[in-house]
Amino acid sequence: MDARSAHHINVTQMDHGASHLAPDCAGQNFYRLDRGLRELLPLYLAPEDFGHLEPHFDRLGVLAGGRLDELARIADKHPPVVEARDRFGRDEDFIDYHGSYREMETIAFGDFQFHAMSHRGGCLGMDRPLSAVAKYALQYLFVQAEFGLMCPISVTDTSIHLIRKFAGKELQDYLLPKMLSADHAAMWKGTQFMTERAGGSDVGAIETTARFEDGEWRLFGDKWFCSHADADVALLLARPEGAEAGTKGLALFALPRRLKDGRRNAYRIVRLKDKLGTRSMASGEIKLEGAVAYLVGDIKAGLKQMMEQVNLSRLSHGVRAAAMMRRCLNEAMVCAQSRMAFGNTIINYPLLRRQLLKVTVPVEQSLSVFLFAASAMDRANAGDKDARAWLRILTPLLKFRACRDNIPVATGSMEVRGGNGYIEEWVNARLIRDAHIGVLWEGTSNINALDIITRAVAKNRAHGALGAVLGKLLDEAATLPPGFRGRLRATLNRALQFAERVAADGALEADARRAASGLYHVTSAVLMAWEASRPSVDARRALFARLALDNRLSAPDPLEPAALDWEGEAAELIFADHKVSLSEVAALLQA
Ligand SMILES: Cc1cc2nc3c(=O)[nH]c(=O)nc-3n(C[C@H](O)[C@H](O)[C@H](O)COP(=O)(O)OP(=O)(O)OC[C@H]3O[C@@H](n4cnc5c(N)ncnc54)[C@H](O)[C@@H]3O)c2cc1C
C-alpha cells in the first residue's frame, strides 16, 4: 500500500460514510453561480450602474451563500415570541427575536439599506437612488438565503413610497427622516395591515373604524394578519365613522407604534401566528383600542392609495418566488452532479434530467419576467406611458404565476435530493414551507388572475401595450431561426386573443387563471428568446423559451414520446458548462 492510498483509507474512515451524500450550496457565491442573472443584468441596467453595483451583487452573493444562509437557518429554528409586558409589569408589549434575526436585520437595513435605496442617494455608494432593476436584483440575491425578513424590508420600502407620494408635508416631515435613516438602531420600519377576520380578498368588508375626536383620529378594531407586527409605523385601512360601506368608504392611515411623547400607542399585539413558513418573521393579530393614527392623503381614496403599496409588494413577491426557485435549482444541480446511484452520477439519468428541466424552466422564466417588469418600472418612473401599461399587467402576472410555480419547483428540488430533502437539517424543507405563502398574501391566485383579466385587460387594455412591446422584441430578435420566431409570434397573438375573450365575456370567468397563465408563459418565452438573440447572452435561453412553448403553451399527446428528445441532445446543451451559441441550438429550435 503506498502513502496515497493509506491517506485515502484514513479520510474515508473519518468520514463515516458522509461523502456518500451530495453537498449543498453552502459556501457558494450565489451571484457567481447564476449565469442567467450575470448575463441579463447588463441588458437591463445602465452600464454605469452595472459597473458600480456589480461588486455589491458579488458581495451579497457571497453573503447569501455564507453568513446570511447560516443566520437564516438558525432564525427559522428560533421563531420570535411576543411578550405582553416588560419586566416592570408595564403593558409594553414587545417581540423577542433571536440574535440571528437581529444580525440579518443589520445586514439588510444597516449595510445594504434596502429600505432607502429606491428613495435617496447614499446607499451602496450611489449618489442617487438605485434603479428598480438593481433593487429587485439585490432582493433576489438576499431571498435566496432568507425569505422571512424580506417582508419587513420590502414593506418598509413600500410604506416610504406611500408616505412620500400621498402624505401631507407635516406628516412627511415627521415620518420620513426616521424611516429613511441610515442608522439601523434608530430608524423606523414600516408595515401594512389590511386583512381582518371579515375579509382578506374582500377588503370592502373591513370593520375597523376611525373616529375623529379632539383634533385627532383614533382607531378601533381588530387586524387579523399583521406581518412585521411590531413595526414602528403601520399603514392600514379603516372606515371613518359615517363613511359609506364597501371599499369607497375606506381611508388610509399611518399608525405609529409610539406617540410623540414616547408612550406606547393604544393597540396591542394580542398573539403571534404559528405559521407553516416565514417562521423567522413575526405575523400577529392586533387589537386597536383607540390608537392615534394620521390620515394619509385623500380620505376617500384609501384603497386606491393602498393599492400602490399592494402592487409594489406583488412585484417583490414575484421576485421572491424567483429567488426561492433559483435556490431550489442550485440545490438540485449541486446534488444531481455528485450523488451516485447504481454506479452513475444521477444527472446522467434521462428521467432525472427531465425532472431538472422542470425545475429549471420556471426559474429562468421568472428571472426574465421580473427583470423586464423592473425595467418597465424604471421607464414608467421616467414618464414612459407605455411602460406604465406593461408594468400594470406584468406585476400581477409575475405575482400570480411565479408564486404558483414556486411550489412544484420546491417539491421537485426536494425530490432530487431524495430523503434528505425532507429532513429539516437541509434547506429544501424550509424552501417548501416558505413557498406556499406566495399564493396567499397580497392576493390569492384567484384575486391576482381576476385583477389581470377584469382590470388590467378589460379596463386598462394593458395587454395591448404588452403585446406591442413583445412584438417589437421579436422583430429585434432577427438571428432566431425564422420558424421559431413565427411560432412565438403566433402563440403571442393567440394568448392575447384568449385573454381578451375571457375579459369580454363574464361567463368565461372560470378561465381567468388559464388566460393569465398563457400571457405569462408567452411573455417569458418571447423575453427569453429575445435575450438569447443578444450576442452577450447564452443562447440556451432560447431552448428554455421552446420548453415553455412545448410544455406550458401546448398540449402534447400523453401517449406519444415528446416531440423533442429533451433527455438527450437538448439536455446535453442545457446542462453544458460552456456558453452555448444560437447556431448550436438552431436545429433544436426548429424541430
Ligand atoms: C402568514 C401570513 C401573513 C400575512 N400578513 C398580512 C399582513 O401583514 N397584512 C395583511 O393585510 N394581510 C396579511 N395576510 C393576509 C393575506 O393577505 C390574506 O390571507 C389573503 O389576502 C386571503 O384573504 P383571506 O385569508 O381572508 O381569504 P379569503 O378572502 O376568505 O379567500 C378564501 C378563498 O376564496 C377565494 N376567493 C375570494 N374571493 C374570490 C372571488 N371573487 N373569486 C374566486 N375566488 C375567490 C380566494 O382565492 C381563496 O382561495 C397574511 C396572511 C398570512 C397567511
Side-chain angles (χ1 to χ4, degrees):
M1 188 183 290
D2 67 17
R4 257 179 64 205
S5 49
H7 173 73
H8 176 73
I9 286 170
N10 273 341
V11 170
T12 314
Q13 280 167 348
M14 282 162 54
D15 185 47
H16 300 294
S19 57
H20 290 309
L21 298 188
D24 58 16
C25 290
Q28 303 255 20
N29 177 334
F30 288 178
Y31 177 65
R32 293 279 144 208
L33 267 185
D34 197 336
R35 174 175 222 143
L37 180 69
R38 279 186 289 114
E39 290 186 354
L40 296 186
L41 277 177
L43 286 191
Y44 290 103
L45 269 178
E48 62 277 16
D49 284 8
F50 180 67
H52 177 84
L53 290 170
E54 203 194 16
H56 295 288
F57 296 134
D58 198 54
R59 189 163 67 87
L60 189 52
V62 172
L63 273 171
R67 183 65 183 155
L68 199 53
D69 195 42
E70 286 166 24
L71 294 168
R73 189 169 46 79
I74 301 168
D76 181 64
K77 294 275 175 281
H78 298 87
V81 286
V82 67
E83 300 288 350
R85 291 181 152 191
D86 69 6
R87 65 183 183 281
F88 299 103
R90 288 177 295 218
D91 289 332
E92 288 272 351
D93 58 7
F94 67 97
I95 297 180
D96 196 8
Y97 293 92
H98 192 262
S100 51
Y101 185 84
R102 293 295 187 201
E103 192 177 331
M104 292 195 295
E105 282 188 318
T106 305
I107 295 170
F109 293 105
D111 182 353
F112 282 84
Q113 297 188 53
F114 274 99
H115 61 292
M117 60 174 58
S118 278
H119 307 289
R120 61 161 169 77
C123 304
L124 303 179
M126 292 279 282
D127 57 2
R128 57 200 148 80
L130 267 69
S131 68
V133 171
K135 176 177 79 178
Y136 290 117
L138 289 163
Q139 287 195 1
Y140 167 80
L141 286 166
F142 188 95
V143 171
Q144 289 181 47
E146 164 61 10
F147 173 62
L149 179 59
M150 188 46 72
C151 167
I153 294 169
S154 167
V155 86
T156 301
D157 166 37
T158 57
S159 298
I160 292 170
H161 171 83
L162 248 61
I163 302 284
R164 287 181 70 198
K165 184 153 179 187
F166 299 116
K169 186 170 179 328
E170 195 182 334
L171 187 55
Q172 287 196 6
D173 290 346
Y174 179 52
L175 292 179
L176 288 178
K178 299 179 181 67
M179 297 182 81
L180 285 166
S181 169
D183 177 359
H184 171 221
M187 71 164 286
W188 275 24
K189 302 189 194 95
T191 193
Q192 172 214 58
F193 304 154
M194 267 199 301
T195 308
E196 299 182 8
R197 275 169 289 191
S201 311
D202 184 5
V203 182
I206 278 179
E207 291 170 337
T208 296
T209 54
R211 181 180 304 155
F212 194 70
E213 57 186 25
D214 300 330
E216 57 189 5
W217 288 98
R218 289 186 174 271
L219 304 183
F220 300 86
D222 257 279
K223 293 286 174 186
W224 184 238
F225 278 111
C226 303
S227 289
H228 194 199
D230 59 341
D232 303 284
V233 55
L235 294 179
L236 51 71
L237 293 174
R239 195 179 310 280
E241 283 179 341
E244 64 183 295
T247 53
K248 287 193 179 140
L250 296 173
L252 179 63
F253 292 91
L255 169 81
R257 189 163 158 73
R258 295 205 169 269
L259 300 173
K260 285 184 177 159
D261 61 10
R263 277 180 302 132
R264 180 78 171 77
N265 202 356
Y267 70 88
R268 284 183 296 129
I269 305 167
V270 183
R271 60 174 178 158
L272 297 186
K273 306 283 193 188
D274 184 5
K275 297 179 285 181
L276 174 66
T278 67
R279 296 180 70 89
S280 63
M281 183 269 297
S283 302
E285 295 164 22
I286 301 282
K287 198 166 172 54
L288 298 152
E289 298 165 324
V292 172
Y294 307 106
L295 180 67
V296 178
D298 180 354
I299 194 168
K300 292 198 168 144
L303 182 62
K304 194 168 169 235
Q305 296 172 161
M306 180 63 105
M307 282 312 291
E308 287 233 3
Q309 183 165 33
V310 169
N311 281 324
L312 289 168
S313 297
R314 284 180 178 168
L315 186 54
S316 173
H317 281 304
V319 174
R320 288 176 233 179
M324 287 194 283
M325 287 196 280
R326 173 67 64 184
R327 179 67 188 267
C328 291
L329 173 61
N330 287 345
E331 293 292 334
M333 287 301 292
V334 164
C335 181
Q337 282 162 339
S338 54
R339 176 67 170 172
M340 301 288 292
F342 304 102
N344 206 341
T345 316
I346 59 173
I347 196 167
N348 292 316
Y349 292 114
L351 272 174
L352 198 283
R353 292 215 293 234
R354 175 175 283 212
Q355 234 179 310
L356 282 175
L357 283 180
K358 283 191 174 169
V359 172
T360 306
V361 174
V363 179
E364 301 297 348
Q365 287 181 284
S366 63
L367 176 66
S368 292
V369 177
F370 100 64
L371 285 172
F372 185 62
S375 73
M377 183 181 280
D378 285 327
R379 293 169 74 150
N381 288 343
D384 182 334
K385 282 203 182 113
D386 288 337
R388 194 171 305 154
W390 312 338
L391 180 64
R392 170 66 188 90
I393 190 163
L394 285 166
T395 297
L397 282 177
L398 177 71
K399 157 71 168 74
F400 161 61
R401 198 59 252 173
C403 290
R404 290 206 71 71
D405 287 347
N406 194 5
I407 294 170
V409 162
T411 304
S413 172
M414 171 198 74
E415 200 178 349
V416 170
R417 191 167 285 284
N420 288 315
Y422 196 74
I423 302 304
E424 287 280 354
E425 282 174 322
W426 301 78
V427 73
N428 296 85
R430 172 156 52 96
L431 288 167
I432 290 174
R433 289 189 281 104
D434 284 350
H436 285 77
I437 188 64
V439 297
L440 292 172
W441 59 18
E442 302 303 347
T444 59
S445 305
N446 288 355
I447 295 303
N448 275 274
L450 288 171
D451 181 47
I452 293 160
I453 297 302
T454 63
R455 283 187 284 276
V457 174
K459 281 200 190 130
N460 309 126
R461 314 299 295 163
H463 62 304
L466 180 66
V469 67
L470 294 176
K472 270 192 202 142
L473 293 179
L474 280 177
D475 294 342
E476 273 179 34
T479 48
L480 288 176
F484 182 60
R485 210 153 50 122
R487 191 178 163 203
L488 281 167
R489 210 183 290 278
T491 314
L492 172 62
N493 289 336
R494 285 196 64 207
L496 291 167
Q497 281 159 15
F498 181 42
E500 186 136 1
R501 237 180 99 196
V502 177
D505 184 350
L508 295 179
E509 184 174 302
D511 276 316
R513 274 164 66 156
R514 290 177 64 223
S517 291
L519 282 178
Y520 174 84
H521 292 314
V522 81
T523 299
S524 71
V526 171
L527 291 174
M528 291 190 293
W530 171 76
E531 289 156 358
S533 74
R534 304 295 91 191
S536 57
V537 176
D538 191 297
R540 79 190 82 195
R541 297 197 80 69
L543 282 176
F544 299 143
R546 180 166 171 199
L547 273 166
L549 286 181
D550 284 0
N551 294 338
R552 314 204 76 172
L553 287 159
S554 35
D557 184 337
L559 301 179
E560 286 291 331
L564 189 70
D565 172 20
W566 287 114
E567 289 79 45
E569 197 188 348
E572 288 302 333
L573 276 173
I574 286 179
F575 297 122
D577 281 338
H578 63 277
K579 186 168 181 303
V580 172
S581 67
L582 258 183
S583 57
E584 274 179 279
V585 303
L588 294 171
L589 293 174
Q590 297 283 27

